[in-house]
Amino acid sequence: MWKKYLDKFMSIPRDRWILALLCGILLLVLTVPLPGGLQSGQNTEKKERESEEIAQTGEDTEQRLENILSRLEGAGRVKVMITQRTGSEKVVEKDSPSQERTEQQEESGMTRSSTDKSVQESTIYTRSGDGSEIPYVTLEIAPQIEGVLVLAQGGGNPVVVKNITEAVMALFGLDAHKIKVMKMQ
């Protein structure tokens, strides 16, 4: 039984063997990851780091607000939660060289001119210590705060609630209806 298959296998012409070998090599080459694939993985890691930085910035802001509000007379222990509409945004430096070209044509006594303007924008990069290029950030826009919840031991006292609300309004430029102060258990 096996002899029949072995004879059939051995009768395959040499050019088909070569073709099968080349196809196998091609499949191997296509499945090997390229160095560019590492960059997309690095981009994913970079995005994860940025989102962690945004979360950390929000937590830092909450902690700083808790520290300052807990020192407010009558507030007692304070816990703060801040919701953000957007994350922080970084504005990168762009190089924008422009070119202007004017053409004049004369046809049957009339002059016709046309102007072409072109602007090419490219991002300016700086090199980090490990040799990678990082866009040069000129401005970082803080996240937009949607609302603030404050739990305070003195949250049952209307004067304390008013003072906390006014402090948060002054710090974040929020309207009073976006700030809720409640009594902590």
Side-chain angles (χ1 to χ4, degrees):
M1 178 169 143
W2 291 101
K3 186 175 188 294
K4 181 175 124 179
Y5 291 113
L6 186 60
D7 287 340
K8 195 174 190 181
F9 186 71
M10 294 304 279
S11 66
I12 296 174
R14 178 184 268 188
D15 60 337
R16 291 214 178 157
W17 277 106
I18 293 172
L19 183 63
L21 180 66
L22 289 175
C23 287
I25 292 172
L26 178 65
L27 287 173
L28 281 174
V29 168
L30 291 175
T31 59
V32 172
L34 297 174
L38 294 177
Q39 286 181 338
S40 66
Q42 289 172 346
N43 288 340
T44 304
E45 290 173 11
K46 190 175 183 181
K47 288 178 185 176
E48 288 173 0
R49 270 188 266 125
E50 287 175 357
S51 64
E52 287 173 5
E53 287 174 7
I54 290 169
Q56 185 64 35
T57 303
E59 290 171 8
D60 290 345
T61 305
E62 288 174 355
Q63 186 63 44
R64 290 175 61 199
L65 187 58
E66 286 175 10
N67 288 340
I68 198 71
L69 291 179
S70 65
R71 294 180 182 167
L72 187 70
E73 186 178 340
R77 206 172 87 235
V78 175
K79 221 39 198 156
V80 173
M81 179 178 171
I82 298 175
T83 57
Q84 300 173 353
R85 181 179 310 147
T86 61
S88 63
E89 183 180 337
K90 295 179 180 178
V91 178
V92 295
E93 183 68 27
K94 300 267 186 187
D95 187 19
S96 304
S98 61
Q99 294 178 348
E100 189 173 325
R101 191 180 79 167
T102 304
E103 264 186 40
Q104 292 186 351
Q105 295 177 345
E106 286 192 34
E107 292 180 14
S108 58
M110 297 184 70
T111 303
R112 183 176 146 194
S113 68
S114 63
T115 303
D116 290 332
K117 290 184 179 182
S118 66
V119 177
Q120 292 179 331
E121 220 175 58
S122 61
T123 304
I124 297 176
Y125 292 93
T126 59
R127 287 209 185 269
S128 66
D130 63 356
S132 63
E133 290 185 339
I134 301 169
Y136 182 74
V137 178
T138 56
L139 176 67
E140 189 166 349
I141 301 170
Q144 291 181 327
I145 295 177
E146 185 72 30
V148 177
L149 172 64
V150 179
L151 297 177
Q153 285 179 328
N157 183 341
V159 174
V160 172
V161 170
K162 179 180 177 278
N163 289 338
I164 290 174
T165 302
E166 287 176 355
V168 174
M169 287 172 64
L171 288 171
F172 299 112
L174 293 175
D175 295 331
H177 71 277
K178 294 187 176 189
I179 303 164
K180 183 68 178 175
V181 181
M182 301 175 76
K183 182 172 175 62
M184 183 185 286
Q185 287 183 327

